[in-house]
Amino acid sequence: MKCATCGADLTGIATDLPFKIGDHSIVIIKNLPVLQCSNCSDYLLEDCTMERVDELLKGIDAKVEVEILQYAA
Ligand SMILES: [Zn+2]
């Protein structure tokens, strides 16, 4: 896979990313596998990762302000 921004190689890493699920709710998913560009700070999520994130976010009560999840639960 190549970076969509600069064309450099992407490297698979695990990182923590915040997802906004409502006006006042943020979910932080830890140890999320992403493809990080080795040249710029761009990254992307693979489709299968995105689907799993959607599943995780669906299970969250949108009334909480901050929730922290492990990707590999
Ligand atoms: Zn890049």
Side-chain angles (χ1 to χ4, degrees):
M1 292 280 275
K2 301 282 187 189
C3 176
T5 303
C6 72
D9 286 325
L10 296 174
T11 310
I13 59 159
T15 190
D16 308 334
L17 285 181
F19 294 86
K20 208 159 180 286
I21 60 169
D23 289 345
H24 305 288
S25 298
I26 290 178
V27 179
I28 296 167
I29 301 183
K30 305 198 79 165
N31 296 313
L32 189 66
V34 301
L35 295 169
Q36 173 89 56
C37 179
S38 54
N39 184 53
C40 66
S41 58
D42 229 6
Y43 64 87
L44 65 84
L45 301 180
E46 290 181 280
D47 288 347
C48 58
T49 308
M50 210 54 231
E51 283 171 23
R52 174 90 176 110
V53 167
D54 280 345
E55 288 296 310
L56 287 170
L57 295 182
K58 267 185 222 161
I60 299 295
D61 182 348
K63 288 194 283 294
V64 296
E65 286 185 25
V66 179
E67 180 87 29
I68 299 173
L69 296 176
Q70 293 287 336
Y71 177 77

